[in-house]
Amino acid sequence: MSKPDCLLMSPINDHLQARLEEIVTVHRYWEAEEAVAMLAQLAPTARSVVTGGGTGCPAEVIQALPNLEIIASFGVGYDAIDVDAARAAGVRVTNTPDVLNDCVAEVALALMLGLCHLVPQSDRYVREGRWEREGNMPLTAELTGRRVGILGLGRIGKAIATRLQAMKMRVVYHGRTEQADEPYAYYADPEAMARDVDWMVLAAPGTGETEGIVSRRVMEALGPQGCLVNVSRGSLVAEAALIELLEEGALGGAALDVFADEPRVPERLRGLDNVVLMPHQGSASHKTRRAMGDLVVANLQAQMRGDPLLTPVV
C-alpha cells in the first residue's frame, strides 16, 4: 500500500526524517529544480505539509495543493505560515508547544548569565593569555536582586520566570491581558515596564500585533544600565534603533538568539562587545528536537486517522 504524499518545505533532523518516512512519502520542496512543477505534480495527491517555524508555508503553496489537509510546523511560532490562506482552504495547522519550554528557558538564562558575567569576553581573555599578562578582568554585575520584566507570559515566559525567581530576581510582566492567577506584577504598557526594570526578556510570539513592540522609546526607557534579552522573534525589536542605542551606550547590553533577517546579522551588531549572540538555538538540544519531531508526527497520524489533533492552531 502506497504512503500518502507529504511536502517537506525545508531540511529537518535525521530523527524526524526517519519518522516521517515511516508514514508518508516525503517530497523535498527546497531541492526542486522547478518548484511550480513539483507543486503541480503533487496537486492531486499531497495531503500534508511539514515545515519549520522559520520557513513556514506561503499562500501559493497552500492554494496549489487542493487536497491539502494539514500543515504541521516544527516549532512553536507559526507566523511564517499564511494562516488566513490555510483557514480559507480548510487546512489544519499544528505546531509543537510545551515540549520546548524548558530548553528555551535554559537558553534565556544562559544568555542572561553570559551577558551579566561577561562569559564570552572572559573566555577570550583566558584563551588570549591576557589574564597572565594583564591581571584580573573588571568586576561584573549580578542577576541576584535585580528586577526583570518578561514581555509575553505564555508557556515559555512562565518557564523563564520560574528560573529567574530561583536566581532571586524580582519578576514582573507585560502581555495582552493581565493573568490574575499569576503572582507577578502586571504592566499594561511595555515602556512603563522597561522604565522600572533592569532586564527585559522577550518571550512573545511574532505577530502583527507584536511587531516592533520593543521600540526605540521602550529601549530608551530600559536605559544605559538596562539589558534586553530576546529568545522569541527578531521582529519584536526595532533592530536599527537597538544597534544605535547599544553603540551610544544608551542601552546597557543585549543578549540575542533571534534577529530581524536570519541568518544575516548586521555587522555593526556583531562588532559590539556589549552583546551576546546565538544563532537561533533556543530549542536546539537533542532531547527537545526529538520531542518536537515526535509531536509533528503525532499530529500527522491523528489527521490521517481522523482523530482530534494534539496541538492545533487552526
Side-chain angles (χ1 to χ4, degrees):
M1 183 177 177
S2 63
K3 293 177 286 188
D5 288 322
C6 172
L7 182 64
L8 181 60
M9 298 296 293
S10 57
I12 54 175
N13 62 56
D14 292 342
H15 173 70
L16 178 52
Q17 181 76 40
R19 292 287 323 270
L20 281 180
E21 290 175 350
E22 292 173 359
I23 61 170
V24 295
T25 300
V26 176
H27 300 268
R28 296 167 179 79
Y29 185 70
W30 75 96
E31 292 182 352
E33 294 182 8
E34 294 290 340
V36 173
M38 172 179 275
L39 292 174
Q41 180 183 353
L42 292 174
T45 58
R47 301 191 182 279
S48 61
V49 165
V50 171
T51 188
T55 304
C57 186
E60 53 265 29
V61 171
I62 297 170
Q63 292 160 0
L65 302 175
N67 294 305
L68 184 62
E69 298 176 2
I70 182 172
I71 300 169
S73 182
F74 182 84
V76 173
Y78 51 91
D79 44 296
I81 297 173
D82 194 321
V83 171
D84 291 336
R87 187 178 288 111
V91 175
R92 305 300 303 276
V93 177
T94 64
N95 64 343
T96 58
D98 291 325
V99 293
L100 49 63
N101 298 349
D102 290 332
C103 190
V104 177
E106 285 186 16
V107 167
L109 184 55
L111 283 167
M112 294 177 72
L113 288 167
L115 181 61
C116 180
H117 290 282
L118 305 178
V119 174
Q121 296 92 330
S122 298
D123 179 81
R124 292 196 300 270
Y125 198 79
V126 173
R127 291 175 187 274
E128 294 168 0
R130 295 177 61 193
W131 187 17
E132 184 178 357
R133 296 194 307 270
E134 303 174 29
N136 292 334
M137 284 185 63
L139 301 180
T140 71
E142 285 186 37
L143 297 181
T144 302
R146 299 296 88 194
R147 194 172 175 91
V148 55
I150 297 178
L151 195 152
L153 196 70
R155 299 178 182 94
I156 293 173
K158 289 181 175 71
I160 293 170
T162 299
R163 285 158 174 79
L164 297 184
Q165 283 188 305
M167 302 292 293
K168 300 181 181 179
M169 298 189 80
R170 294 170 290 169
V171 178
V172 301
Y173 75 100
H174 165 77
R176 287 177 298 179
T177 56
E178 183 174 3
Q179 300 182 45
D181 294 333
E182 293 302 323
Y184 318 114
Y186 173 71
Y187 282 79
D189 176 30
E191 185 178 338
M193 183 176 77
R195 194 173 296 115
D196 287 350
V197 299
D198 307 292
W199 290 78
M200 180 179 283
V201 180
L202 311 185
T207 66
E209 185 179 358
T210 61
E211 184 173 358
I213 190 171
V214 183
S215 63
R216 175 183 289 273
R217 288 174 61 91
V218 169
M219 289 182 280
E220 287 174 340
L222 193 53
Q225 301 303 314
C227 293
L228 181 71
V229 182
N230 193 357
V231 290
S232 53
R233 284 287 189 265
S235 61
L236 273 65
V237 180
E239 191 169 85
L242 168 68
I243 295 170
E244 290 177 9
L245 293 172
L246 287 168
E247 289 176 335
E248 296 165 1
L251 179 65
L256 311 171
D257 186 41
V258 291
F259 306 89
D261 185 24
E262 298 175 3
R264 290 164 287 278
V265 177
E267 182 65 37
R268 287 167 62 194
L269 189 57
R270 286 187 278 158
L272 292 170
D273 204 39
N274 54 346
V275 299
V276 175
L277 308 175
M278 290 182 67
H280 205 146
Q281 292 288 98
S283 65
S285 74
H286 294 292
K287 174 186 173 183
T288 293
R289 291 291 172 88
R290 186 180 184 91
M292 290 167 64
D294 289 342
L295 186 50
V296 167
V297 171
N299 275 306
L300 290 179
Q301 290 174 320
Q303 179 67 27
M304 292 162 68
R305 290 191 303 262
D307 293 341
L309 300 176
L310 282 75
T311 53
V313 295
V314 174

